[in-house]
Amino acid sequence: MPPSVIRPLRFAGRLTAAVAAVVGLAAFFLALIVATDGAGSGLAAWSAAVGIAVFAALWRGRRRSWRGRLVPFLPVLVAATLTLSVCVPTVPTTRRYPPALSFVTTEHVRLSTGSQVAVYHYPPTGNSPRQRVPLVYLNGGPVRGISVLDHRFLQRLAGQGYDVYAYEQAGGGRSDLLPMDQYSITRSVHDLGAFVGKLGKGRVDVLGFSSGAVVLTRALADPAIADHLRRAVIAEPGPMDGPTARIEGQKGRPSARGTAPAMTGPRSTHVPRYAVAFGLMRLGLLSPDNGLVGQAEGDNAFTTADLGSDTASAYCARDADRIPVEDTEWNFSFSAAASLRIQQTIKDSPTIAPQLRRSRTPAMLMIAECSSQVRQWQTAILADNPAIQRTQYMPGVGHHMWNSLGNNDQRAAATITSFLQDKPAPLPDYPTRADIPAFLRDHK
């Protein structure tokens, strides 16, 4: 074979070997990140990986000329530079809380549980009769700030005579962070009880949405808290306990996931450090309390665009091209690590069905037509809570039932207020407990 052919082949072979060495060292680094749980912002894994790679390069070049000895170090240098980017923060490592909202005052309240939460109060407005029982809102997430879209809906309820209170659960929005090992579904339930007690207004009505509906459901199974709740609205709940969380059932009508335009804006997952951290946490390979990215840094880094198709999954497929902006860049807050931690405590919890069957607080269940939640998560609550007086199957909406599209907000508000005032429902009571088998069969 002529030299003109041999030289390019040798170069290609060396280049392939160099690329393989870089990829191998990066994979080894990631394995050490997992093994060390990201200790020292990843520097422990980086130092070990680079140290071993340097030793290997010295060993490979031991019999070469001084120039030849440098060749094995080139892939080491490239891989060391690339992996070092995983160890360097690009956002502040102390918590940056969202600035104050212009349309509502934020009050910080210390609960008896030790949680310090951000509280928002919408006094009754408009010409509707004043409702004597306060309404408390529990938003979804878990550990996500209350979106501007939700704030608008709370203003609507206040405009119908309700004295509305909402608080961002510990770690979310403007509420103070907790040590990672203190986040749990039990703590969230106790915080609700402590908040109601702190209000000092007697019994309250509670509207819980998504993971907030899970907190509310578990509170209904705790007599010490349930005794302080007059009525409960359970809207689009997630799994209430470990056995329910392990159900892999069907969801609602098709959502906009996969068909809606991609979310725009900066993504933390385009930065190697946060792509690695959030990716490994999501896979369960890094603990929520890992040493790679601290809770505060992770909160600062996470953006609305990082939610990706999760936002689209909260809307019907027919709304794919008109999904509203749920939040502003400055108000958005989500703690991925704390959220995973709370979700894991739900998965690890025993059944609450026996306690829930003793519930006596009048409740209503709201289910969306295009729900992204597993249907059996919702019907399990219906089956096990005898105090659910009505179920409202909401046509034409996804998981986020009040979403500023068309008359969806008006319909959701009418459904909620009619129950709280013990007035006739705007929709049929469906599904009932007897309807559950047919509902699961027909509404896929």
Side-chain angles (χ1 to χ4, degrees):
M1 189 175 292
S4 60
V5 175
I6 293 174
R7 289 192 188 97
L9 289 176
R10 285 178 177 171
F11 177 77
R14 289 170 182 166
L15 181 61
T16 301
V19 171
V22 171
V23 173
L25 182 54
F28 181 54
F29 166 72
L30 291 178
L32 288 176
I33 285 284
V34 173
T36 61
D37 203 30
S41 195
L43 289 172
W46 185 84
S47 300
V50 172
I52 293 172
V54 168
F55 178 81
L58 288 170
W59 180 261
R60 288 182 59 198
R62 70 190 185 284
R63 294 176 181 170
R64 300 180 183 181
S65 65
W66 69 271
R67 288 183 178 177
R69 291 174 185 174
L70 295 177
V71 173
F73 283 93
L74 292 178
V76 174
L77 179 61
V78 172
T81 302
L82 292 175
T83 53
L84 184 60
S85 65
V86 176
C87 306
V88 180
T90 62
V91 299
T93 56
T94 54
R95 183 71 175 108
R96 292 184 309 183
Y97 292 94
L101 293 166
S102 61
F103 50 81
V104 65
T105 300
T106 307
E107 180 184 1
H108 290 89
V109 174
R110 175 74 66 180
L111 303 179
S112 60
T113 57
S115 300
Q116 180 156 301
V117 297
V119 180
Y120 309 93
H121 180 208
Y122 291 101
T125 59
N127 298 321
S128 299
R130 299 296 191 259
Q131 302 300 317
R132 60 181 183 81
V133 179
L135 174 61
V136 174
Y137 176 62
L138 292 174
N139 67 301
V143 201
R144 179 174 174 177
I146 299 175
S147 70
V148 170
L149 200 62
D150 280 6
H151 276 290
R152 291 180 188 145
F153 186 66
L154 299 181
Q155 289 174 315
R156 173 180 290 277
L157 294 175
Q160 296 182 12
Y162 286 88
D163 193 19
V164 181
Y165 292 86
Y167 69 93
E168 288 169 319
Q169 295 168 50
R174 296 164 184 80
S175 293
D176 285 6
L177 307 182
L178 295 175
M180 190 59 68
D181 62 359
Q182 291 188 24
Y183 289 105
S184 70
I185 188 61
T186 300
R187 174 64 171 263
S188 299
V189 172
H190 289 167
D191 280 353
L192 171 60
F195 180 75
V196 172
K198 189 78 172 181
L199 279 182
K201 294 180 177 290
R203 294 204 300 166
V204 302
D205 295 331
V206 182
L207 165 61
F209 167 65
S210 193
S211 63
V214 176
V215 175
L216 176 55
T217 298
R218 294 180 70 99
L220 295 174
D222 184 339
I225 300 174
D227 285 348
H228 299 281
L229 311 183
R230 189 189 73 102
R231 287 189 169 236
V233 178
I234 305 167
E236 277 288 287
M240 64 181 180
D241 54 24
T244 310
R246 289 188 283 275
I247 296 175
E248 295 182 359
Q250 69 243 34
K251 299 182 181 180
R253 309 287 189 202
S255 74
R257 181 189 287 270
T259 59
M263 293 187 69
T264 59
R267 294 174 182 254
S268 69
T269 47
H270 288 171
V271 179
R273 176 172 176 81
Y274 306 113
V276 168
F278 295 141
L280 292 178
M281 277 192 286
R282 193 174 185 91
L283 292 171
L285 298 176
L286 276 186
S287 70
D289 198 19
N290 67 82
L292 179 59
V293 173
Q295 179 187 176
E297 182 189 350
D299 291 6
N300 293 339
F302 206 92
T303 69
T304 53
D306 285 323
L307 293 174
S309 59
D310 284 352
T311 297
S313 70
Y315 295 84
C316 290
R318 66 178 73 96
D319 295 325
D321 293 324
R322 60 170 194 156
I323 293 176
V325 176
E326 293 191 342
D327 213 348
T328 64
E329 176 185 352
W330 304 112
N331 184 64
F332 176 79
S333 169
F334 180 67
S335 176
S339 181
L340 288 171
R341 162 78 182 168
I342 291 178
Q343 290 177 60
Q344 189 60 51
T345 64
I346 295 173
K347 294 175 183 176
D348 293 340
S349 69
T351 179
I352 65 167
Q355 295 86 353
L356 192 58
R357 292 185 189 118
R358 294 193 288 270
S359 176
R360 295 295 177 267
T361 303
M364 176 178 70
L365 176 65
M366 297 177 70
I367 301 176
E369 178 185 7
C370 309
S371 177
S372 57
Q373 307 289 68
V374 173
R375 290 297 197 198
Q376 285 86 341
W377 294 350
Q378 303 161 341
T379 56
I381 295 174
L382 176 60
D384 290 325
N385 186 349
I388 291 180
Q389 296 182 346
R390 66 176 73 166
T391 302
Q392 299 285 269
Y393 177 75
M394 306 292 291
V397 294
H399 180 60
H400 206 157
M401 291 182 286
W402 41 89
N403 51 37
S404 79
L405 297 178
N407 67 342
N408 291 340
D409 286 14
Q410 296 95 311
R411 291 194 301 139
T415 301
I416 292 166
T417 58
S418 65
F419 172 72
L420 296 181
Q421 297 175 31
D422 198 22
K423 293 181 178 179
L427 296 168
D429 181 15
Y430 176 80
T432 65
R433 291 174 189 84
D435 294 325
I436 290 176
F439 176 76
L440 294 176
R441 182 183 66 246
D442 299 337
H443 291 271
K444 297 182 181 179

